[in-house]
């Protein structure tokens, strides 16, 4: 019997709702299979297109690049008017940042631009999942005005269920998971949409072709 079923059986006993029927260990897996919407049953290429479309619908900008062109992609995003400093997640310190003025660590109030990575993307909503850790401090996702988040194309999943399943395989589990769907937004009393009130005003997503941690200095 799995640990999960042992916990459920203990709860049943505590509630005095004991049953002689053994729990179906595949119940949750079967349920998850049934609730996956048909619109995300796509090839990898089409799944990435759906993710891009959904993210653009919520005011994110996106770019795809080859692994070796990551620094060039960031430069292109700023149209060669590069910021004086870009705060980058410590977990990305081994990547080749070229001539970009990067500094590794968490954010402070003065930081205007950050770069970090997502552990998964959800195609059905264009959502990024970012894990808190010493390698990817949470403030990088929320404090700067411009947030750049990198994701490996193979990390783009069909649904939240699939993404959570991938997260559950991490060891140790992240202390927190942040769901990011577009830049920060709110509506005022007249329901006028405003961006950047409670977080980044701009969200730029860079989809790379292979595992980020293969992108090391030569």
């Amino acid at each position: 019997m799995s640990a999960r079923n042992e916990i459920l059986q203990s709860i049943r006993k505590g509630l005095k709702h004991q049953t002689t029927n053994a729990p179906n260990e595949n119940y949750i897996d079967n349920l998850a299979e049934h609730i996956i919407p048909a619109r995300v049953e796509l090839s990898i290429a089409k799944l990435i297109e759906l993710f891009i479309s959904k993210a653009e619908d919520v005011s994110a900008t996106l770019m795809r690049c080859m692994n070796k062109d990551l620094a060039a992609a960031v430069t292109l995003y700023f149209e060669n008017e590069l910021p004086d400093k870009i705060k980058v997640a410590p977990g990305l310190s081994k990547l080749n940042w070229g001539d970009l003025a990067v500094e590794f660590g968490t954010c402070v109030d003065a930081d205007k631009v950050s770069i970090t990575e997502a552990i998964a993307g959800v195609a059905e909503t264009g959502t990024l999942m970012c894990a808190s850790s010493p390698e990817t401090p949470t403030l990088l996702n929320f404090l700067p005005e411009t947030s750049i988040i990198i994701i490996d194309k193979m990390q783009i999943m069909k649904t939240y269920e699939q993404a959570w399943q991938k997260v559950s395989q991490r060891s140790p589990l992240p202390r927190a998971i942040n769901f990011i769907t577009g830049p920060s937004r709110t509506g005022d009393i007249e329901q006028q949409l405003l961006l950047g009130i409670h977080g980044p005003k701009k969200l730029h997503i860079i989809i790379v072709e292979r595992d980020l941690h293969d992108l090391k200095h030569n």
Side-chain angles (χ1 to χ4, degrees):
M1 181 182 295
S2 68
R4 173 185 169 278
N5 286 327
E6 289 179 359
I7 293 171
L8 290 176
Q9 193 171 68
S10 176
I11 292 172
R12 291 189 185 97
K13 288 180 180 180
L15 295 174
K16 298 182 179 179
H17 289 300
Q18 299 184 38
T19 176
T20 57
N21 296 324
N24 181 353
E25 294 187 1
N26 296 320
Y27 176 76
I28 295 297
D29 292 336
N30 292 337
L31 178 62
E33 290 176 5
H34 286 303
I35 63 177
I36 294 177
R39 66 179 178 275
V40 296
E41 294 292 357
L42 302 168
S43 66
I44 293 295
K46 291 295 184 181
L47 203 64
I48 294 171
E49 290 179 8
L50 177 62
F51 175 81
I52 292 172
S53 174
K54 292 295 185 180
E56 289 178 337
D57 285 346
V58 290
S59 304
T61 58
L62 295 97
M63 182 183 297
R64 298 182 67 174
C65 74
M66 300 299 291
N67 303 338
K68 62 183 177 63
D69 297 326
L70 181 59
V74 175
T75 301
L76 182 61
Y77 170 67
F78 288 105
E79 298 180 343
N80 293 314
E81 295 184 5
L82 294 172
D84 294 334
K85 182 181 67 175
I86 302 175
K87 189 60 71 72
V88 179
L92 301 177
S93 62
K94 293 183 179 180
L95 306 191
N96 185 353
W97 295 105
D99 295 328
L100 295 174
V102 299
E103 180 180 296
F104 302 101
T106 192
C107 281
V108 296
D109 289 342
D111 292 318
K112 302 301 182 184
V113 181
S114 68
I115 300 178
T116 188
E117 64 179 304
I119 60 171
V122 182
E124 65 176 333
T125 58
T127 299
L128 294 165
M129 295 176 67
C130 296
S132 65
S133 74
E135 289 75 29
T136 53
T138 296
L139 285 180
L140 291 168
N141 300 322
F142 299 111
L143 198 55
E145 184 176 284
T146 299
S147 173
I148 299 174
I149 299 181
I150 306 167
I151 184 169
D152 167 23
K153 71 174 185 178
M154 299 309 295
Q155 299 288 75
I156 296 176
M157 308 293 164
K158 299 176 182 179
T159 62
Y160 284 95
E161 291 86 358
Q162 189 179 30
W164 272 120
Q165 185 177 30
K166 185 171 185 63
V167 171
S168 70
Q169 297 170 357
R170 296 173 68 93
S171 180
L173 287 172
R175 186 178 184 188
I177 296 290
N178 301 125
F179 294 89
I180 300 172
T181 308
S184 171
R185 63 187 61 219
T186 190
D188 64 10
I189 196 168
E190 296 180 354
Q191 296 302 298
Q192 179 180 356
L193 185 64
L194 300 173
L195 299 180
I197 301 301
H198 307 296
K201 186 175 183 178
K202 298 177 182 179
L203 172 63
H204 185 60
I205 303 169
I206 300 179
I207 303 172
V208 296
E209 294 298 312
R210 197 178 61 193
D211 181 13
L212 285 173
H213 298 284
D214 287 340
L215 313 181
K216 299 179 181 179
H217 291 291
N218 294 325

